[in-house]
């Protein structure tokens, strides 16, 4: 059984955003614009991605 992963790219700056949104980016491992991280497709990660959907781009790997 293979684990599904998501490729998440930060597209907008975190400065001036809500503290909860900044913490979601940190939880996903994102700190810089155009940084790409691969995260496991879990409900927890999906929730963080949905909260900051306007700041990230997501692709299934």
């Amino acid at each position: 059984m293979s684990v599904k992963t998501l490729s998440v790219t930060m597209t907008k700056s975190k400065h001036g955003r809500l503290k909860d949104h900044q913490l979601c980016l940190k939880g996903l491992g994102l700190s810089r614009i155009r940084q790409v991280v691969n995260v496991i497709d879990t409900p927890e990660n999906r929730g963080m991605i949905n909260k900051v959907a306007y700041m990230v781009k997501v692709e299934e790997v």
Side-chain angles (χ1 to χ4, degrees):
M1 179 176 162
S2 65
V3 178
K4 288 177 61 177
T5 61
L6 301 170
S7 176
V8 184
T9 306
M10 185 171 164
T11 58
K12 294 188 178 186
S13 173
K14 64 183 176 182
H15 297 289
R17 308 294 181 183
L18 293 173
K19 191 69 173 172
D20 287 349
H21 293 197
Q22 291 180 19
L23 292 173
C24 283
L25 290 172
K26 185 175 182 180
L28 289 168
L30 293 166
S31 60
R32 296 183 310 275
I33 297 175
R34 288 188 295 278
Q35 181 180 5
V36 179
V37 294
N38 290 325
V39 296
I40 298 172
D41 189 5
T42 62
E44 295 83 5
N45 286 337
R46 283 283 185 173
M48 288 190 283
I49 290 168
N50 287 338
K51 187 174 259 194
V52 295
Y54 65 99
M55 297 170 61
V56 297
K57 184 179 81 169
V58 181
E59 298 173 352
E60 288 191 19
V61 179

